[in-house]
Structure formats: structure tokens, C-alpha cells
Amino acid sequence: MDVSPLAWILTIAAIVALLAFDYVFHVRKAHAPTLKEAAIWSSLYVGIAIIFGLGVLIVGGATPGAEYFAGYITEKALSVDNLFVFLIIMTSFRVPREDQQKVLLFGITFSLIARTGFIFLGAALINSFAWVFYFFGIILLMTAGNMLKPESSESRSSENFMVRIARKIFHTSPDYDGDKLFTVYEGKRALTPMLLVMVAIAGTDLLFALDSIPAIFGLTQNVYIVFTATAFSLLGLRQLYFLLDGLLDRLIYLSFGLASILAFIGVKLILHALHENNLPFINGGEPVPVFEISTALSLTVIIGVLVVTVLASLLSPAGRAQTIIANARRHAINYLDLDYTEDHTERIRVYSALVQEEESLRALRPKYQKLAKDKAGLMELLHAAHTEHDASVQRAARE
């Protein structure tokens, strides 16, 4: 599919306009979005991506259209996995609820810029060196294996390498100053936690790009499709974060599904590399006649794996129990953290959710209650949250 310079310009302008719209109308004024707001805007961005894909299908034909949707679905699924890490980072930094949108939008913008660079670098390497397909395939197989390991990587921590360097080199403040990136602390200009959390997000975005770009190049080598599928998968990620709030922990089998998809694409890349082989130590530098996986088969496998993974997670009693436990702990911590939000409505929402989750927790069968790590600590948190709520009610009555 040939794309004219004008089409590139219009596409990039539209993507930049959507990002600018988010910055101006959604995050300029700090607020905690409601579930309805998140659902509407998330649906709108998904709708835009689908309409664009239908345009590719009509203008470019069946193959480019299928490649776009396969790439978009894969990148969207990987972006949901990214949300787990963003949640961990923002919880570690105790980012106020109202400012989480701004942090997420910065992460999306940085990720789009970083991945665009990797896309053009990857395209240049592929056009110059056929062996790059082997390299990308091995990366995806290794990533798939790492996804099945227990989470212990520092990339899933707020204190990653970039943040530690920033803390050592620069003067930093322990507290937020609204959404400011710099403040005055101990008489000197200092970096705020808001800037540090953005550094942490940027660091993890670079690592995610190393996984996602080889994955989509395994589905198509058309740079325009790679770029647009990646961009549209990132747009709307901010709204999706708040839409899935409380459900992320429910997707207990997502890592298995993503690992399967990445392994499948890794095998597809290696088979393609063998078909295009020019390495002298493999088959004397001649192409190897192997079966190549079609785009239609790739799209079918990706959708099938994701459907099975999501349904298995949502229908799993263990997944439901783990969600209840994780959300009860998180909401108790957020309610006790008086700096978490200044919005009284948001505090009421958090406490109401906590009460419902506590009731569901009591109703769990004993074998599922054992899934709670440090159950005694969780009970103490819940008790402390109720005590704080009673005290806040008494303070309001006196006022």
C-alpha cells in the first residue's frame, strides 16, 4: 500500500490535534474523571481507530486492512499490560487522583514519540538487513518467556534506574506542589514528585517500546500501518485507565495471553526470516522453503487468544477474589491518604467502594480468602479506614 506525503501529513496532524485536544480540554484543569466520562471518551477513541481501519481496508485492500487491525489489537492488548505498571508507579508515588490524568497523558505522548523513533529505526534496519527478522523474533520469544515469570523487574517499580539517578543528581522535594514540576524546598529550587513520576513513566515506556515495535513489525512491514496502528492504540489509553479502574487486577490470565501472542509473532518472524534468509551459515545463504503464517491467520489467533484470556479471567472465581482483595486494600490505602484527593465526592466514592468490597470479601469462601497476602495487615487497614471515616463524619457534624 503506497501512502502519499499528503496522507502522512494529514495523519500526523490529526494525531497531534487529538493529543492537543486532550491537553487543552481534559487535563489542563485537574480533576478525577467519572466512570461515565471515561467510558464515553474511551469509546470515541476506539471508534476513531475502527473508522480509520475501515478506511485502510477500503482504500488499501483486504491485506493492509487486516494488517492494521491485527497490529492495532496487538498493540492495544500490550497497552493494557502497560496500565498495570502505570498503576504500580502512580501508587508508589502517591500521585493525587486529580493529577493522574496529566501523568498518563505525558506517558502516552512520550511513548508515541519514542515508538515513532523505534518504528523508523526498525524500518531502516529491516530494509537494509534481512537478519533483523531473526533478531526481532528472538526478542519476542524472550519477552514471552519473561512475561510468565513472577513480577520482579525494576521496570515494574517506581524506583527504576532513571529515577534513582535523578534523585542522586538533583535536589528533590518529598511532597507535591499541585501539578508543578518544580518547587522551592529547603530554600532551594527542587524537583517535585510529579516530575519524578513522569521520569519513571518515561523509563518504562522505553522498555515497552522494545517489546511492542518488534511485535507489530512481525505482523506488517508497512511503516504507515505500523505507525498508525501504534498511535491509535495509545490514544485513549488515559481514558481506558480510569474505565478499567478496579478491573485490572481481575485480568489474572492476561500475561499468559500476551505471552502466547508474542511467542506466536516471534515464531512468525523467524519463519519469515528463514524465507528471506541471506545469512551464509544458514542453508548456504539461500532462502529456506518454510511455511509462512498469513495475516488472516495471525488476526484470527490474536483475537482468539485475547477472547479466551479475557473470558477465562472474568469468569474465574480466583480472579474475582483477587480483584476484591486488591481493590479493598488499594481503596483503604487511598482513603487513609488525605493527600490522595481534595475532591470530597471522590473520597465518598472510594469509601463506598471500600464498604462494598469488604462485604464481598467476607462472602468469599475460605480458600479464596487465603489468596490475600498479609491478611492481618489488610484487616488493620480496613479498620483504620472505618475509624478515619467515623472521625471525618464527626468533624463535618461539628462544622
Side-chain angles (χ1 to χ4, degrees), residues 289-312:
V290 294
F291 170 76
E292 282 213 81
I293 300 172
S294 67
T295 302
L297 178 58
S298 298
L299 183 58
T300 301
V301 170
I302 291 167
I303 293 176
V305 169
L306 286 177
V307 169
V308 171
T309 298
V310 171
L311 288 178

Side-chain angles (χ1 to χ4, degrees), residues 29-47:
K29 181 180 179 181
H31 73 285
T34 63
L35 184 62
K36 180 180 178 180
E37 177 185 344
I40 291 173
W41 285 104
S42 184
S43 300
L44 180 62
Y45 277 106
V46 171

Side-chain angles (χ1 to χ4, degrees), residues 9-30:
I9 292 171
L10 292 176
T11 302
I12 293 172
I15 291 170
V16 171
L18 288 172
L19 282 173
F21 179 82
D22 263 358
Y23 274 105
V24 174
F25 293 100
H26 284 145
V27 305
R28 185 172 60 175
K29 181 180 179 181

Side-chain angles (χ1 to χ4, degrees), residues 63 67 122-123 125-138 140-141 214-222 263-279 282-283 285-295 298:
T63 298
E67 288 176 350
L125 290 173
I126 286 172
N127 291 331
S128 302
F129 309 103
W131 56 262
V132 170
F133 288 110
Y134 287 112
F135 179 67
F136 281 179
I138 292 171
L140 293 183
L141 291 174
I216 194 168
F217 268 117
L219 299 168
T220 178
Q221 284 82 59
N222 186 299
F264 171 79
I265 298 175
V267 170
K268 182 178 187 293
L269 274 170
I270 291 175
L271 289 174
H272 182 72
L274 289 170
H275 191 267
E276 303 289 331
N277 178 64
N278 59 9
L279 294 179
I282 297 178
N283 198 36
E286 296 296 323
V288 181
V290 294
F291 170 76
E292 282 213 81
I293 300 172
S294 67
T295 302
S298 298

Side-chain angles (χ1 to χ4, degrees), residues 294-363:
S294 67
T295 302
L297 178 58
S298 298
L299 183 58
T300 301
V301 170
I302 291 167
I303 293 176
V305 169
L306 286 177
V307 169
V308 171
T309 298
V310 171
L311 288 178
S313 297
L314 295 178
L315 297 175
S316 167
R320 177 175 177 274
Q322 186 167 302
T323 304
I324 292 170
I325 294 167
N327 286 343
R329 191 187 304 275
R330 180 162 57 90
H331 282 132
I333 292 172
N334 289 341
Y335 190 77
L336 290 169
D337 183 2
L338 299 180
D339 293 328
Y340 172 68
T341 178
E342 296 179 356
D343 187 345
H344 181 66
T345 303
E346 173 65 12
R347 285 188 59 78
I348 293 175
R349 185 195 71 82
V350 170
Y351 185 76
S352 298
L354 174 63
V355 171
Q356 293 177 3
E357 286 147 5
E358 192 173 7
E359 292 176 356
S360 299
L361 184 60
R362 293 196 190 98

Side-chain angles (χ1 to χ4, degrees), residues 14-194:
I15 291 170
V16 171
L18 288 172
L19 282 173
F21 179 82
D22 263 358
Y23 274 105
V24 174
F25 293 100
H26 284 145
V27 305
R28 185 172 60 175
K29 181 180 179 181
H31 73 285
T34 63
L35 184 62
K36 180 180 178 180
E37 177 185 344
I40 291 173
W41 285 104
S42 184
S43 300
L44 180 62
Y45 277 106
V46 171
I48 292 172
I50 292 174
I51 292 171
F52 181 85
L54 292 175
V56 173
L57 186 66
I58 294 170
V59 175
T63 298
E67 288 176 350
Y68 168 82
F69 281 110
Y72 173 76
I73 293 170
T74 300
E75 292 297 305
K76 198 68 173 179
L78 289 171
S79 70
V80 173
D81 187 54
N82 298 5
L83 293 181
F84 283 97
V85 185
F86 292 164
L87 175 62
I88 292 171
I89 291 174
M90 288 196 287
T91 300
S92 300
F93 276 99
R94 297 173 61 241
V95 179
R97 180 76 170 180
E98 291 83 358
D99 295 321
Q100 289 181 2
Q101 289 199 97
K102 183 167 291 186
V103 173
L104 286 167
L105 191 54
F106 166 81
I108 291 167
T109 305
F110 182 87
S111 181
L112 183 56
I113 294 171
R115 293 186 193 202
T116 299
F118 279 121
I119 286 169
F120 286 104
L121 176 61
L125 290 173
I126 286 172
N127 291 331
S128 302
F129 309 103
W131 56 262
V132 170
F133 288 110
Y134 287 112
F135 179 67
F136 281 179
I138 292 171
I139 286 178
L140 293 183
L141 291 174
M142 292 174 61
T143 302
N146 288 333
M147 277 191 164
L148 300 178
K149 295 179 181 179
E151 298 297 348
S152 60
S153 169
E154 76 158 9
S155 66
R156 303 239 164 187
S157 165
S158 62
E159 290 297 321
N160 63 26
F161 177 75
M162 295 177 67
V163 174
R164 291 201 298 268
I165 290 295
R167 288 189 187 277
K168 288 181 179 179
I169 296 178
F170 302 104
H171 182 53
T172 61
S173 69
D175 301 314
Y176 288 89
D177 186 3
D179 59 0
K180 294 180 181 177
L181 303 182
F182 299 93
T183 189
V184 175
Y185 176 63
E186 295 180 342
K188 294 188 295 183
R189 188 174 175 81
L191 309 182
T192 67
M194 179 62 71

